[in-house]
Amino acid sequence: MDFKTLLEQISAAYNKFNTKQKIIIAVTIFIIIGLLVFLILYKNSGSKEAENYAVLFDKLDPKDAAIVIQQLETDKVPYKVVNEDTIKVPKEFVYKERISLASKGIPKNSKVGFELFDKQEFGATEFEQRIKYLRALEGELARTIESLEPIENAVVHIALPKESVFTEKSVPPTASVSLTIKPYTKLSPKQIMGIKNLVAAAVPKLTPENVKLIDQNGDPLGGEDMLKSELIASQIKYKKEFERAYEKKIVNLLAPVVGGEDKVVAKVTIDFDFSQEDEVSEYYDPDVVPRSEQTTEEEREGFSKKEVGGVPGAISNIGPVQGIESNKPTSKYKKSVTTTNYEVSKKILNKKGAFARIKRITAAVVVDGKYRFKKDKEGKETSEIEYVPLSKQEIANITDIVKKSIGYDPKRGDEVTVSNFEFSKGGLRPKAPVTKTLVEKTASFVQPLMPFIKFAIAIVLLFLFYKRVIVPFSQKMLEETKEEEERLEKLAIEEEKEAAEDTLEQYKNMKKKIEEELGLGEQFDEEELKYEVLLEKMKQIASENPEEVANILQTLVKSVNEFEPKK
């Protein structure tokens, strides 16, 4: 579209509005332009001012912030405080002031770690070194805990007892941790146990049981009561989910039999044993297996060895004399010893009990009966409906089905009860409430479509805004314009009518005046007067423009001759 044509159309549309509408449109355009100019100028001024400042420190403690501000005022450096914990200064002073404040130990509340040992101090006692080590260890642990997502601030205190050579008098170390948790967050039992294990692992001989945690409100974290409540909640949830699964299984199994899910109700109660027991079993193999076998054999032949004996004295100490040998027969000695060691095989089995063990199952099932039309005395069906209960055989069959579905075990003392009642006329009853699982399934199905749903909602809102606001306003404006045009048109018609009436009145007055001057009476012929006036007017025109009149007469004669029929 041509720009000039567009301007002409806008101008034409603007000219259709009345004065009041033109004033409103002009004021609205002026306000919008003024607002845009104000926003642009304000943004530019704020951005230029913000560009000249940079962050000196952020996330400051109020005490440290006061010290920093006091030092900046002493150095005559301009500053700005943002969000109560952030200080900004001009860019050219940022690094200079950071170095200056760091040399003076500001901010003082920042946690220190093992950098305390970067400088060696001569003449430091063992007690001072121990205190420095304790401070450094507490600072490092606090920094590590603060790095966790839910933790905003952490303070760690460690109590290290004096070591003793006597074991009975030794005292284990303890630790306490104060945590400031971020808003709208909560520590889970696993996170609390993780923090305890972290602190305990960093200190020798410290156990997680000796680490105590509190939050910013002074409430203890990770106590036995909290762990018990969490355990009880998980057990109750497990029990309810297990029972709901059994109930759903029974309903789904009986629905095709009794005529639908709305004609059967099942409630299951399961008694669980949540005590976990560790079992250690030893099994011995009755088949004996030899582990080792040892055999010892001794054998000796020849004369027996002469031994010195008798009454003590010189003769007794003299050995056998050569040539005087005994003629006794030679001796033989033989010995055999066998030792066999047998191994008894043994198998050790460690068994850990399950989280939950079923002790007893109780199921109560209520099913609806059958419905049929009543019959009259002649055997014809009527419009009335009567209830027909199930037979004993049918109830027994349903009971067997329920027992098989839940894993019925009479040794555990399980019980199953099936009852037959009339739900309502026609076999109908209110639908069961929507379970949480159905809601969760619906939410999981709708979740991927949320972006498209948001766009659709935005389009619907814009359409409603167009139909409810813009269209009525436009129609009202057009109606006012139409009413204004009709009013102007009526006004113009009235003015023309008044002008015509005035002209007619003037004509009548002039006619009366002329009649009086010419002395004409009531028998005056108006047509004859008109003819004479026209004749005089034509004579005057012919005398003033003879050539034009002659041309007109010639043209008329020619046209008459052309249209006459030829003889």
Side-chain angles (χ1 to χ4, degrees):
M1 183 182 290
D2 189 8
F3 185 71
K4 184 177 180 181
T5 307
L6 180 63
L7 289 178
E8 291 177 355
Q9 292 179 355
I10 294 173
S11 178
Y14 180 76
N15 293 328
K16 292 181 179 179
F17 297 120
N18 56 22
T19 306
K20 182 180 179 181
Q21 293 173 343
K22 290 179 180 179
I23 292 172
I24 294 173
I25 293 172
V27 172
T28 304
I29 294 173
F30 177 76
I31 292 173
I32 292 173
I33 294 174
L35 181 62
L36 292 175
V37 172
F38 171 76
L39 292 175
I40 293 171
L41 294 177
Y42 179 77
K43 183 178 179 181
N44 291 336
S45 61
S47 60
K48 288 180 181 178
E49 187 178 1
E51 288 177 358
N52 296 328
Y53 279 78
V55 177
L56 179 65
F57 293 109
D58 60 348
K59 296 182 180 180
L60 285 173
D61 188 84
K63 296 180 180 179
D64 292 340
I67 297 172
V68 172
I69 291 173
Q70 184 178 1
Q71 186 62 36
L72 292 175
E73 291 177 350
T74 304
D75 298 340
K76 297 181 179 180
V77 177
Y79 63 89
K80 284 185 176 182
V81 180
V82 183
N83 297 331
E84 298 182 358
D85 59 353
T86 303
I87 298 176
K88 289 185 177 182
V89 296
K91 289 184 177 181
E92 58 270 17
F93 295 103
V94 173
Y95 300 106
K96 180 181 177 181
E97 286 300 318
R98 282 182 184 174
I99 295 172
S100 176
L101 293 170
S103 64
K104 297 176 183 179
I106 302 174
K108 294 184 178 181
N109 199 31
S110 59
K111 297 177 176 63
V112 293
F114 285 106
E115 62 269 14
L116 280 173
F117 294 95
D118 292 343
K119 295 181 180 180
Q120 296 294 333
E121 297 180 1
F122 295 100
T125 62
E126 182 182 357
F127 178 76
E128 292 176 350
Q129 292 292 333
R130 185 182 177 188
I131 295 300
K132 286 178 65 176
Y133 170 76
L134 191 60
R135 285 184 59 198
L137 183 59
E138 291 174 350
E140 291 292 341
L141 287 173
R143 287 176 181 175
T144 306
I145 295 172
E146 287 178 356
S147 64
L148 302 177
E149 180 63 27
I151 306 302
E152 184 175 348
N153 188 22
V155 179
V156 180
H157 297 288
I158 300 174
L160 294 177
K162 187 176 181 181
E163 296 182 359
S164 175
V165 295
F166 300 101
T167 306
E168 296 180 354
K169 294 183 178 181
S170 62
V171 179
T174 58
S176 59
V177 182
S178 176
L179 301 176
T180 302
I181 304 173
K182 293 180 180 178
Y184 310 108
T185 56
K186 183 181 179 181
L187 290 178
S188 64
K190 290 184 179 180
Q191 291 173 326
I192 294 172
M193 187 56 63
I195 294 174
K196 286 187 174 184
N197 292 331
L198 174 68
V199 177
V203 181
K205 299 181 181 180
L206 179 61
T207 59
E209 291 76 14
N210 291 331
V211 180
K212 305 300 179 182
L213 275 66
I214 61 171
D215 59 5
Q216 65 268 28
N217 299 321
D219 297 330
L221 301 175
E224 293 183 359
D225 295 338
M226 182 177 180
L227 294 176
K228 287 181 180 179
S229 62
E230 292 288 340
L231 180 60
I232 291 171
S234 64
Q235 291 175 355
I236 293 174
K237 182 179 178 182
Y238 180 83
K239 184 176 184 293
K240 288 183 177 180
E241 290 179 353
F242 217 89
E243 291 175 349
R244 193 180 297 115
Y246 270 57
E247 292 170 359
K248 188 176 180 181
K249 184 190 295 184
I250 294 172
V251 172
N252 292 338
L253 191 61
L254 295 179
V257 178
V258 298
E261 294 183 358
D262 57 344
K263 302 186 72 174
V264 57
V265 178
K267 292 297 178 182
V268 178
T269 302
I270 303 176
D271 295 334
F272 285 99
D273 183 7
F274 291 101
S275 60
Q276 290 182 303
E277 298 178 356
D278 295 338
E279 181 182 353
V280 179
S281 302
E282 293 185 2
Y283 296 94
Y284 294 90
D285 190 358
D287 298 332
V288 179
V289 179
R291 184 182 65 178
S292 61
E293 186 175 359
Q294 183 179 2
T295 302
T296 304
E297 293 183 359
E298 293 181 6
E299 186 176 356
R300 184 171 33 181
E301 293 181 357
F303 296 97
S304 60
K305 186 177 180 181
K306 299 295 184 180
E307 295 180 358
V308 179
V311 180
I315 297 174
S316 299
N317 293 329
I318 297 173
V321 180
Q322 187 177 2
I324 308 175
E325 289 89 359
S326 176
N327 293 324
K328 293 180 179 180
T330 58
S331 64
K332 292 183 179 180
Y333 174 81
K334 189 175 182 180
K335 181 180 180 181
S336 177
V337 178
T338 302
T339 303
T340 303
N341 296 322
Y342 294 92
E343 182 69 24
V344 179
S345 62
K346 180 176 66 175
K347 182 171 67 174
I348 300 175
L349 180 63
N350 294 324
K351 186 178 180 181
K352 188 175 182 179
F355 172 73
R357 184 173 58 85
I358 297 176
K359 295 171 60 179
R360 187 169 179 262
I361 300 177
T362 303
V365 182
V366 179
V367 295
D368 197 4
K370 299 177 182 179
Y371 296 87
R372 66 185 179 186
F373 292 101
K374 289 184 178 180
K375 295 182 179 180
D376 55 11
K377 296 180 179 180
E378 298 178 357
K380 297 181 180 180
E381 293 183 352
T382 62
S383 59
E384 295 183 4
I385 298 175
E386 65 176 351
Y387 171 74
V388 180
L390 300 178
S391 63
K392 294 182 179 181
Q393 184 62 36
E394 290 174 335
I395 293 176
N397 294 335
I398 293 174
T399 304
D400 292 338
I401 293 173
V402 174
K403 287 182 178 181
K404 296 296 182 181
S405 63
I406 65 173
Y408 177 80
D409 187 0
K411 295 180 180 179
R412 290 185 309 205
D414 297 348
E415 292 183 5
V416 174
T417 303
V418 178
S419 302
N420 181 213
F421 291 99
E422 180 182 3
F423 282 8
S424 63
K425 290 295 183 182
L428 300 176
R429 65 178 180 86
K431 292 185 178 179
V434 180
T435 59
K436 186 178 179 182
T437 55
L438 181 60
V439 175
E440 292 176 352
K441 290 180 181 178
T442 306
S444 62
F445 177 74
V446 174
Q447 188 65 28
L449 303 177
M450 283 303 296
F452 302 100
I453 295 174
K454 290 180 180 179
F455 283 115
I457 293 173
I459 292 171
V460 171
L461 292 176
L462 290 175
F463 179 74
L464 292 176
F465 179 77
Y466 171 76
K467 295 294 276 185
R468 297 293 182 182
V469 179
I470 296 177
V471 172
F473 179 76
S474 302
Q475 291 177 353
K476 187 176 181 181
M477 294 288 289
L478 293 175
E479 288 175 359
E480 291 181 356
T481 305
K482 188 175 181 181
E483 291 176 358
E484 184 68 17
E485 290 178 355
E486 291 178 355
R487 188 179 65 82
L488 293 175
E489 187 176 353
K490 289 181 180 179
L491 184 61
I493 292 171
E494 290 177 358
E495 290 178 353
E496 290 178 359
K497 187 176 181 181
E498 291 177 357
E501 290 177 355
D502 293 340
T503 304
L504 181 61
E505 187 69 25
Q506 290 177 2
Y507 172 74
K508 288 180 179 180
N509 294 333
M510 187 177 293
K511 179 181 178 182
K512 187 176 181 181
K513 186 177 180 181
I514 291 171
E515 289 177 353
E516 290 176 355
E517 289 179 355
L518 295 175
L520 300 174
E522 295 179 356
Q523 297 178 355
F524 170 69
D525 189 359
E526 186 176 351
E527 295 295 331
E528 185 179 356
L529 181 60
K530 288 182 180 180
Y531 175 76
E532 291 178 358
V533 173
L534 289 173
L535 185 61
E536 289 294 331
K537 187 67 175 176
M538 290 177 65
K539 288 179 180 181
Q540 185 181 355
I541 292 172
S543 62
E544 290 178 357
N545 301 309
E547 295 180 358
E548 294 181 0
V549 173
N551 291 331
I552 291 171
L553 291 174
Q554 289 178 2
T555 304
L556 289 172
V557 171
K558 288 181 179 180
S559 60
V560 171
N561 292 332
E562 289 178 358
F563 285 100
E564 286 182 356
K566 293 181 180 181
K567 297 180 180 179

